[in-house]
Amino acid sequence: MNQHKKFHLKTFGCQMNVHDSEVLAGFLEGLGYQEVDDVKETDIVIMNTCAIRQKAEEKVVGMIGKLKKLKRENPSLIIGICGCMVQQEKTAEMIKSRFPYVDLIFGTHNLHRFSELLTEAQESRETILDIWPEGKEVVEGLPISRKDGIKAWVNITYGCNNFCSYCVVPYVRGREKSREIVNIMMEVEGLAKEGYKEVTLLGQNVNSYGKDLGQGVSFALLLEKMGNIQGLERIRYMTSHPRDFNRELIEVISRSQKVCEHFHLPIQSGSSKILDKMNRGYTREHYLKVVADIQKMIPNSSITTDFIVGFPGETEEDFLDTLEIVEKVRFDASFTFIYSVRKGTKAADMPNQIPEEVKKERLYRLNEIQNRISREIHEVLKGSIVNVLVEGFSRENDSYLTGRTRTNKLVNFTGNKEIVGKIIPVKITEAKTWSLDGEMVQETVRKR
Ligand code: SAH
Ligand code: SF4
Ligand code: F3S
């Protein structure tokens, strides 16, 4: 029988949370616990929550409710709730009073204290609630349990200073703080030595990396330095802010052999009036100029984006501006969201909130156009040979391997498991809306 104590970790939200969960798993594995998929078999269950939209929160509340039965069957089970949702004081209080069987509630700023918090929770009969309103300094040296050995997430900044008027992130993740460049470099060099091929640098606005460090430190400089790391093949980053995406950065990327030709540039709306109300700090024209610079300086790159439909005051005309920009830029893909009211943000109190049916109808129209364009862009790739970093077997069909191109397109193809972790040429045979099918070929292609 397996004597290891077990933990089950459920993660919601963005890559920042996914990476925080790797830290939690790192702590737990260090304490001798083993991760399990089945929540019924576990000694500890932790939910790392997201607050970005109402729906994300509702899902978590529903799931905490369901844990009651498990706790009754196994009273020594430890239930922990952490992440962005409980960083909101009222929500943390609500969870504590509505679900008294929760053992531990902690936020995003005291993740590094997890081991102590867990011990406290195990020793106490009361719910331990420990939320810090703001992080102190960046804590280095946390344990990280990475799973695949091929691709790794690496934090470069924490928090956000932008206060887009719809967004909860600055309230739940605190002010922007950059990690020292030497610490990031050390981490990535270590990963390359372990055989990792790709890193994704994480921050809510990676373009403002280093502004709080002074001495000429910038995101462009970080990318330049990282380009020299032996063994590392691909560098990605998320998320960029179109306001801060300048020519210097595009030049550095165009010169780099390692930084991928994929630009995720969340636009949110095609209407300058709405962008202003969103406090995004750029106009439609500025965005189009950045895109034109990218397309000119780095041909064949892919551009993806995020949209919010139904922001307060969005008229049909504003929405048509959004549809028009989709046709104009021809994004490879878009993440599209219905505006969700977040208490405490500026937009929550704005007049002219849009009715739910109108928001839904706009989302539908936007997705129709985007899906057509994604498909058209993929059709053009049929017959071409692309370099794919092979990640493993496809989730839907395990006789297929799966991987991504430098432009971040998902490719499924047949092959053997010896090539997992390698970059290999694949000929595209079939185009779908969100992915491509292909077959392995012998030819080699240049970098792009
Ligand atoms: N820092 C990143 C990611 C923020 S969250 C950025 O600035 O792009 C990811 C996406 O969620 C955002 O780009 C936005 O499109 C969406 N989003 C954020 N708040 C939202 C809200 N209140 N309602 C609907 N979508 C939202
Ligand atoms: Fe939210 Fe704006 Fe910060 Fe992104 S840049 S996390 S959308 S406030
Ligand atoms: Fe959600 Fe927090 Fe990320 S609110 S989107 S998990 S930073």
Side-chain angles (χ1 to χ4, degrees):
M1 210 179 97
N2 192 339
Q3 291 302 312
H4 274 289
K5 290 179 288 179
K6 302 184 176 71
F7 71 96
H8 175 87
L9 195 51
K10 179 99 188 120
T11 309
F12 300 84
C14 67
Q15 297 320 325
M16 206 65 75
N17 254 20
V18 172
H19 188 46
D20 282 353
S21 285
E22 292 182 333
V23 172
L24 288 170
F27 275 120
L28 285 159
E29 285 166 11
L31 293 168
Y33 288 85
Q34 220 173 41
E35 186 159 9
V36 287
D37 288 336
D38 188 356
V39 70
K40 292 198 188 91
E41 273 182 21
T42 192
D43 303 288
I44 299 181
V45 52
I46 300 202
M47 282 195 201
N48 191 2
T49 64
C50 169
I52 202 83
R53 283 170 289 274
Q54 181 76 27
K55 269 209 183 117
E57 295 206 341
E58 282 164 6
K59 221 168 152 182
V60 169
V61 171
M63 287 177 90
I64 305 175
K66 286 204 183 122
L67 290 176
K68 187 174 186 176
K69 188 164 162 267
L70 268 189
K71 181 82 174 183
R72 209 183 302 130
E73 286 163 7
N74 173 15
S76 64
L77 175 74
I78 294 288
I79 301 176
I81 312 292
C82 64
C84 296
M85 201 173 143
V86 291
Q87 195 62 47
Q88 307 166 107
E89 207 181 322
K90 284 212 174 96
T91 312
E93 292 294 344
M94 178 277 283
I95 290 176
K96 188 172 177 221
S97 62
R98 207 169 133 191
F99 308 107
Y101 50 89
V102 168
D103 300 281
L104 172 61
I105 303 173
F106 61 104
T108 58
H109 298 303
N110 53 350
L111 198 68
H112 59 281
R113 288 204 62 246
F114 175 68
S115 298
E116 289 101 305
L117 290 168
L118 180 62
T119 309
E120 279 179 49
Q122 282 165 330
E123 287 169 358
S124 165
R125 296 177 65 91
E126 306 290 312
T127 306
I128 302 292
L129 190 149
D130 192 18
I131 310 285
W132 297 7
E134 178 64 65
K136 299 191 173 106
E137 66 277 350
V138 172
V139 183
E140 291 292 342
L142 298 179
I144 302 173
S145 168
R146 293 187 167 98
K147 297 277 142 59
D148 77 358
I150 302 166
K151 300 179 358 169
W153 310 106
V154 174
N155 282 124
I156 63 166
T157 66
Y158 298 92
C160 184
N161 289 354
N162 283 318
F163 288 94
C164 301
S165 61
Y166 50 81
C167 185
V168 77
V169 171
Y171 304 93
V172 295
R173 287 273 169 178
R175 293 296 64 71
E176 219 163 73
K177 288 179 196 66
S178 303
R179 282 179 75 192
E180 292 287 345
I181 208 160
V182 286
N183 293 327
I184 301 171
M185 289 299 286
M186 231 156 48
E187 183 173 351
V188 178
E189 278 160 5
L191 289 166
K193 278 207 189 93
E194 280 178 50
Y196 278 85
K197 293 288 186 321
E198 178 179 303
V199 292
T200 303
L201 308 176
L202 294 179
Q204 294 298 346
N205 173 9
V206 290
N207 308 111
S208 62
Y209 170 74
K211 282 187 183 152
D212 50 335
L213 297 176
Q215 307 138 1
V217 181
S218 68
F219 183 56
L221 179 77
L222 179 67
L223 287 185
E224 237 170 354
K225 278 185 172 265
M226 213 161 269
N228 299 324
I229 297 179
Q230 283 239 326
L232 184 67
E233 302 271 359
R234 292 180 171 186
I235 302 169
R236 301 186 189 277
Y237 48 90
M238 65 195 301
T239 304
S240 303
H241 197 300
R243 180 197 58 212
D244 303 328
F245 215 90
N246 56 28
R247 277 185 81 99
E248 184 206 356
L249 188 55
I250 303 173
E251 269 163 26
V252 167
I253 296 171
S254 76
R255 282 198 304 269
S256 171
Q257 293 294 310
K258 295 186 178 169
V259 181
C260 291
E261 301 75 25
H262 169 224
F263 296 83
H264 183 63
L265 277 175
I267 182 170
Q268 315 298 357
S269 167
S271 150
S272 292
K273 180 193 99 189
I274 296 295
L275 287 171
D276 184 46
K277 288 190 173 190
M278 286 177 162
N279 192 30
R280 289 290 288 175
Y282 56 86
T283 58
R284 164 193 176 86
E285 289 70 31
H286 172 84
Y287 189 92
L288 287 170
K289 173 82 175 56
V290 174
V291 167
D293 284 345
I294 292 171
Q295 287 170 339
K296 193 167 105 213
M297 289 157 76
I298 313 178
N300 299 324
S301 47
S302 66
I303 299 182
T304 57
T305 199
D306 293 353
F307 281 108
I308 296 176
V309 299
F311 184 81
E314 184 189 71
T315 60
E316 174 66 15
E317 208 180 2
D318 295 320
F319 178 64
L320 289 177
D321 283 345
T322 289
L323 295 186
E324 200 217 16
I325 216 156
V326 177
E327 297 279 5
K328 207 167 198 151
V329 176
R330 289 181 65 79
F331 295 103
D332 290 73
S334 299
F335 296 93
T336 55
F337 305 104
I338 282 183
Y339 168 70
S340 171
V341 178
R342 307 283 65 209
K343 275 210 191 86
T345 62
K346 259 200 167 148
D349 300 322
M350 285 183 185
N352 304 319
Q353 298 281 334
I354 307 296
E356 220 44 43
E357 321 79 80
V358 178
K359 290 190 207 173
K360 279 192 188 143
E361 188 249 358
R362 285 182 185 164
L363 183 75
Y364 180 82
R365 284 157 71 198
L366 174 59
N367 285 343
E368 285 279 287
I369 295 179
Q370 180 58 60
N371 291 348
R372 170 178 54 76
I373 292 171
S374 296
R375 183 71 189 247
E376 284 168 4
I377 292 174
H378 285 173
E379 285 290 341
V380 176
L381 291 172
K382 254 166 108 174
S384 67
I385 295 170
V386 291
N387 282 334
V388 173
L389 171 58
V390 188
E391 291 169 19
F393 288 95
S394 160
R395 244 186 286 171
E396 287 101 57
N397 182 344
D398 63 11
S399 58
Y400 277 94
L401 287 169
T402 184
R404 283 182 189 268
T405 63
R406 288 177 64 101
T407 51
N408 209 33
K409 297 195 180 292
L410 191 65
V411 185
N412 295 311
F413 58 100
T414 47
N416 51 38
K417 70 169 189 293
E418 279 76 58
I419 58 168
V420 172
K422 296 204 167 88
I423 295 176
I424 56 140
V426 173
K427 186 172 186 176
I428 302 303
T429 53
E430 200 57 60
K432 297 180 174 163
T433 308
W434 294 287
S435 67
L436 301 160
D437 286 347
E439 57 193 27
M440 244 177 94
V441 287
Q442 294 309 318
E443 293 114 286
T444 45
V445 275
R446 281 186 56 242
K447 175 187 138 190
R448 288 180 186 168

